[in-house]
Amino acid sequence: ARIACIGPSGENLSLLSGIVNENGRIAARSGVGAVMGSKRLKAVAVRGTGDVAVARPEELEAVKKAFFETFKENPFNRALGAFGTGFGTSMLVSIGDSPVRNWSEAGTDAMPTCEKLDSGHMDPYKIKRYGCHSCPLRCGALIKVDAGGYATDGEIHRPEYETLAAFGGNCFNDDIEVVIKANEICNLYGIDTIGVGNAIAFAMECWDKGLITEKDTGGLDLAWGNGESIVALTEQIAKREGFGASLADGSKAAAEKIGKGSEEYAMTIRGQGLPYHDPRISPVQGTVYYANANPGRHMDSCGSTTLEKGGALGADPILSGPQLEMYADYDSKGTLMSIGVPYLQFYSSAGMCSLFLLGSTVPVVEYVAAVTGWDMDAAEAIKAGKRIATLLQAFNVREGLKPTDFKLPKRFLQPLNVGPAAGQLVDFDAIKAGYFASMGWDLKSGRPYLLTLKELGLESLVRL
């Protein structure tokens, strides 16, 4: 049997809690653990009872062979397999993509010791590599810290890039053992490392600005980079105890309690803590952060960012976008998103890992056709993904959420001072307007147009 369960954070209805599987792989974002906790549902166990039938096995083998010949030669895939997603953490800091001090600073000059956070520094703790079910990449690893103040309680999952950034540069901490320990706590309690790191960095900036003191924190010194306090506050947040109780629902909720102008330091989109890729580096990724029905999700833009860089998502010409300048052509980039976002939805629904899209052209349409026996093409795949994205959008409309409710924090409306985006003022709103127009949604209300619903066969299901 395979088990998906919540931990104490989900039981305590933390809006940062997730659903855990494989002892530490977590569906972590958007507080889905609190959904299970609110229903007093601890776990779901599933056991398969038979093989998965394949409609056209010979065709499937041919697709697999062609894919793996290109997959194994890709240098990005090789680096992921060897070191995991955190292999380039310091590089991302250097170009301004990875945050320093709660997104208030950027670049290697702001954090000269960021190289200590590259995942290769965890090799001494590494026990073995592993991968998700049937994955050829195997970018995960089990590690163990045997001694010292941050020793782990046995084997744990190696922190991913987002976790290294969350408890590393974002909190101005360069001690990788602090990151490992904070990651262990989050996995044990079932809570999102992105959201917890976001909340702690927010609290550290509030401390730095004099908005909170030891009287508020119960004695914790929240000076930038204080590793002991990062670990202690992570556990408090996970348990909803002490000062951590104020942060357990994220930095936006905490800012509402603290007041004093602290809202300026909550790096969220409608309460969802931002992931650790600066939206200004990739304009379409930054737009996906706040234009999608589910905000603040970096993997939802993988298809769009591949197109933005001039790449293709498949062999069919409709899976390639127009060649556009990275920091210009903002009125046209919404068209890229109207291909990339739906394709990513289809791709993810097929059970594929979004990381593959960053290093390979994945023949997912051909895979699905061979397994199911459906004679589908890329146009049908995009249509299926558009149907999913439109249903998500319709859900938000039903719940009274408008596109204007989702906004990037003000810090990202000013140009970066380092990296490829230095000096560039990105017109995210122009991209968003083009995206909504291409998807057939009203920009102000978010409502899908009736023509869009009819095109997707949703007019009987969605009543707006």
Side-chain angles (χ1 to χ4, degrees):
R2 298 290 181 177
I3 298 171
C5 70
I6 61 170
S9 294
E11 295 170 0
N12 291 330
L13 307 186
S14 165
L15 298 186
L16 304 180
S17 61
I19 301 171
V20 187
N21 61 83
E22 303 298 331
N23 298 315
R25 309 301 294 186
I26 303 183
R29 313 234 62 206
S30 302
V32 290
V35 176
M36 283 180 61
S38 70
K39 302 177 186 303
R40 301 182 63 80
L41 174 62
K42 176 67 177 176
V44 177
V46 179
R47 181 172 64 87
T49 56
D51 294 331
V52 177
V54 175
R56 301 196 287 256
E58 292 183 1
E59 182 179 325
L60 178 62
E61 288 302 315
V63 174
K64 285 169 57 179
K65 182 179 180 181
F67 171 57
F68 283 121
E69 285 178 355
T70 59
F71 176 87
K72 64 185 179 182
E73 298 302 324
N74 187 282
F76 178 77
N77 292 337
R78 290 202 300 271
L80 279 177
F83 301 107
T85 57
F87 72 91
T89 300
S90 62
M91 181 276 293
L92 294 178
V93 172
S94 73
I95 65 172
D97 192 40
S98 190
V100 178
R101 297 186 197 253
N102 196 33
W103 298 102
S104 65
E105 299 178 15
T108 307
D109 287 346
M111 191 169 186
T113 58
C114 60
E115 185 271 338
K116 293 181 179 180
L117 296 169
D118 287 340
S119 57
H121 291 291
M122 291 185 280
D123 281 355
Y125 314 120
K126 187 175 174 180
I127 297 170
K128 64 179 180 180
R129 284 176 60 192
Y130 76 91
C132 297
H133 177 67
S134 299
C135 179
L137 191 57
R138 297 175 60 79
C139 67
L142 295 178
I143 62 173
K144 182 181 179 182
V145 179
D146 288 316
Y150 303 118
T152 59
D153 186 16
E155 298 178 3
I156 69 165
H157 291 264
R158 179 178 61 195
E160 305 289 345
Y161 161 73
E162 294 288 327
T163 306
L164 290 164
F167 297 110
N170 201 40
C171 295
F172 203 62
N173 160 60
D174 64 6
D175 188 337
I176 207 163
E177 288 192 359
V178 168
V179 179
I180 292 170
K181 190 63 181 179
N183 182 66
E184 178 187 34
I185 293 167
C186 288
N187 285 353
L188 287 172
Y189 284 86
I191 196 167
D192 176 29
T193 60
I194 295 177
V196 173
N198 177 285
I200 293 176
F202 158 80
M204 285 184 157
E205 185 160 9
C206 288
W207 175 280
D208 186 62
K209 295 290 193 296
L211 304 184
I212 57 175
T213 66
E214 288 186 358
K215 183 178 179 181
D216 302 293
T217 66
L220 287 179
D221 177 357
L222 296 187
W224 289 115
N226 187 325
E228 291 184 3
S229 292
I230 290 171
V231 171
L233 191 52
T234 298
E235 187 159 4
Q236 285 188 9
I237 293 171
K239 293 180 176 180
R240 201 186 272 277
E241 292 179 353
F243 181 61
S246 299
L247 302 173
D249 293 323
S251 58
K252 178 179 182 293
E256 291 170 353
K257 298 174 184 176
I258 295 171
K260 305 176 185 178
S262 61
E263 296 84 359
E264 180 182 347
Y265 312 125
M267 297 294 105
T268 72
I269 299 175
R270 206 179 181 278
Q272 176 105 290
L274 283 185
Y276 299 109
H277 293 282
D278 195 296
R280 293 164 291 190
I281 293 289
S282 167
V284 297
Q285 182 177 64
T287 307
V288 168
Y289 279 2
Y290 82 113
N292 263 18
N294 188 5
R297 305 297 289 267
H298 60 296
M299 300 309 290
D300 282 359
S301 64
C302 287
S304 301
T305 54
T306 295
L307 294 174
E308 186 178 37
K309 294 173 184 175
L313 299 173
D316 193 302
I318 70 170
L319 293 176
S320 300
Q323 294 295 308
L324 303 175
E325 293 292 330
M326 179 64 78
Y327 302 111
D329 298 324
Y330 298 124
D331 290 336
S332 302
K333 286 180 179 279
T335 304
L336 290 181
M337 287 176 56
S338 70
I339 299 169
V341 171
Y343 185 80
L344 192 279
Q345 291 289 353
F346 169 80
Y347 176 92
S348 297
S349 296
M352 301 294 284
C353 175
S354 299
L355 288 174
F356 286 5
L357 283 181
L358 302 178
S360 310
T361 299
V362 184
V364 66
V365 177
E366 292 84 349
Y367 271 131
V368 171
V371 171
T372 62
W374 301 340
D375 293 321
M376 72 181 313
D377 58 14
E380 188 174 353
I382 292 175
K383 186 175 182 179
K386 186 176 179 180
R387 185 179 297 115
I388 296 169
T390 299
L391 282 169
L392 292 170
Q393 187 63 33
F395 177 89
N396 277 12
V397 173
R398 190 191 73 180
E399 297 301 311
L401 299 177
K402 297 179 180 179
T404 52
D405 293 335
F406 299 164
K407 298 177 182 178
L408 285 169
K410 291 181 180 179
R411 281 186 177 167
F412 302 106
L413 304 182
Q414 302 297 321
L416 276 164
N417 60 358
V418 297
Q424 299 291 338
L425 189 61
V426 177
D427 192 346
F428 294 110
D429 287 341
I431 305 174
K432 179 181 176 180
Y435 173 56
F436 270 61
S438 297
M439 292 294 285
W441 305 337
D442 180 72
L443 181 61
K444 185 176 181 179
S445 68
R447 292 175 179 270
Y449 296 127
L450 181 58
L451 187 63
T452 303
L453 297 177
K454 288 181 177 179
E455 171 201 341
L456 300 175
L458 297 175
E459 70 271 23
S460 63
L461 179 63
V462 177
R463 303 184 186 281
L464 299 174

